[in-house]
Amino acid sequence: MRDFSIITDSCSDLPEELANRYDIHLVSMHILMDGDEIPMPEISEFYQQLRQGHVASTAAVSLGEFEDAMREILQSGKDVLYLSFSSALSTTYQSACIAAEDVLADFPEGRVEVVDTLAANMQQGLLAVDCAIMRENGKSLTEVLDWVQQEKLHRSAWFTVDELDYLKRGGRISPATAAVGTMLNIKPLMHVDHEGELISVSKVRGRKSALTAMVNEMEKNVTALEQQSIWACHGDCQKDAEALAELVKSRFGLQEVHIGRVGPVIGSHTGPSILALFFAGKER
């Protein structure tokens, strides 16, 4: 049985410590600030630039970058499992599929499997970690692939933001909705659906109510609490993430909820106030 390497992309926002611990390779999306590509910035510095009025945008991993990453692994005698950012939100998945076909022409004995996670942030990152743990436990690429294709639609992600201008700029809401929402202190409750789209599910008044609504959604759907890692992730609003984590711990009697970050790729489209809750459930 051939060994295999796991790749995911920077949209997973997988902390470096976890990527290193589980030997997960990362390929990076590209960040543009005011139209010019910049090196991947430190997260807090990136959000500070947004607050100063700079405009960020993103570009997908290129075909060549995928080919280089896959080729290096295949040359080492290993196969490849790539867990992609949602195809509904980026062309990343399509580029990876083309790259896989191209490199396999030179490595006919190899195998490259590309999985559309239909996910983002730690919804995607935790799938990569769980696949790596299965690999450590001796599971084959086929076994891990079968599992992740079934499991990915049981990973739930709920989001809210405090500032609506970024969603307006990205076309997620209309200028009129943003103006009225800001005036009335309306906060959207958003969800990544089974098609991998980020959709608005409901609206609540006030940030505190938005946090409660996220935990309410978790209560409806969560399974096997003691056997999973729960994550509260934020752009640049640490105290809100801590409040969300405490709310989850109080509601479910948990000892630990992890705090993570929403990085520049997703944050470019949501702004600094993005707050997210990730868990495994009966369904998304």
Side-chain angles (χ1 to χ4, degrees):
M1 182 174 68
R2 279 168 60 103
D3 194 7
F4 64 97
S5 290
I6 295 170
I7 305 175
T8 192
D9 50 71
S10 54
C11 288
S12 68
D13 287 326
L14 193 63
E16 184 178 357
E17 184 269 332
L18 283 180
N20 291 338
R21 183 196 306 176
Y22 292 106
D23 192 23
I24 297 168
H25 301 254
L26 294 173
V27 290
S28 289
M29 303 276 281
H30 300 273
I31 301 295
L32 291 79
M33 192 67 75
D34 301 324
D36 296 322
E37 185 170 343
I38 61 172
M40 186 61 70
E42 191 276 326
I43 295 178
S44 293
E45 177 185 335
F46 168 78
Y47 286 117
Q48 183 178 357
Q49 288 182 290
L50 293 192
R51 288 191 168 113
Q52 291 170 347
H54 296 281
V55 177
S57 57
T58 59
V61 182
S62 72
L63 183 63
E65 289 168 321
F66 273 127
E67 289 181 350
D68 289 345
M70 293 172 179
R71 192 178 300 277
E72 182 177 354
I73 292 168
L74 291 167
Q75 285 175 336
S76 73
K78 296 181 180 181
D79 293 326
V80 178
L81 174 63
Y82 168 58
L83 302 172
S84 170
F85 181 44
S86 173
S87 63
L89 301 172
S90 170
T91 60
T92 301
Y93 170 73
Q94 289 81 0
S95 294
C97 289
I98 296 169
E101 185 176 347
D102 288 348
V103 298
L104 285 173
D106 296 328
F107 296 89
E109 76 289 352
R111 183 177 175 188
V112 179
E113 298 290 351
V114 179
V115 175
D116 182 0
T117 67
L118 301 171
N121 196 258
M122 287 302 288
Q123 183 187 26
Q124 172 187 348
L126 290 173
L127 281 171
V129 168
D130 286 343
C131 287
I133 292 171
M134 292 181 71
R135 179 185 58 186
E136 286 184 356
N137 291 333
K139 299 297 184 181
S140 67
L141 174 54
T142 296
E143 289 173 310
V144 174
L145 178 65
D146 289 345
W147 175 85
V148 76
Q149 292 285 24
Q150 293 294 320
E151 178 64 20
K152 66 185 184 182
L153 293 181
H154 295 279
R155 299 302 175 100
S156 199
W158 290 89
F159 299 84
T160 190
V161 297
D162 205 34
E163 304 151 310
L164 301 179
D165 282 348
Y166 298 94
L167 296 180
K168 177 189 70 176
R169 190 180 299 157
R172 292 283 173 185
I173 59 175
S174 69
T177 298
V180 172
T182 300
M183 182 174 63
L184 297 179
N185 197 26
I186 298 297
K187 311 303 177 189
L189 185 65
M190 298 175 291
H191 173 59
V192 177
D193 67 11
H194 279 203
E195 285 70 50
E197 288 276 11
L198 182 60
I199 61 170
S200 180
V201 174
S202 62
K203 301 177 181 67
V204 296
R205 182 164 290 182
R207 183 75 152 176
K208 186 176 180 180
S209 294
L211 270 60
T212 300
M214 294 167 75
V215 179
N216 289 344
E217 293 295 341
M218 178 177 170
E219 188 168 35
K220 294 176 187 176
N221 191 35
V222 71
T223 57
L225 272 167
E226 299 79 12
Q227 300 169 29
Q228 62 168 296
S229 296
I230 311 295
W231 284 72
C233 297
H234 68 101
D236 196 30
C237 48
Q238 174 84 20
K239 289 184 178 179
D240 286 346
E242 291 171 354
L244 177 59
E246 289 302 318
L247 190 57
V248 171
K249 287 192 283 187
S250 174
R251 179 79 65 93
F252 299 104
L254 298 177
Q255 294 298 312
E256 183 176 36
V257 172
H258 301 278
I259 305 290
R261 299 299 296 271
V262 177
V265 177
I266 295 170
S268 295
H269 307 283
T270 61
S273 66
I274 179 71
L275 191 61
L277 180 60
F278 301 101
F279 58 91
K282 297 187 288 289
E283 59 181 5
R284 283 199 170 179

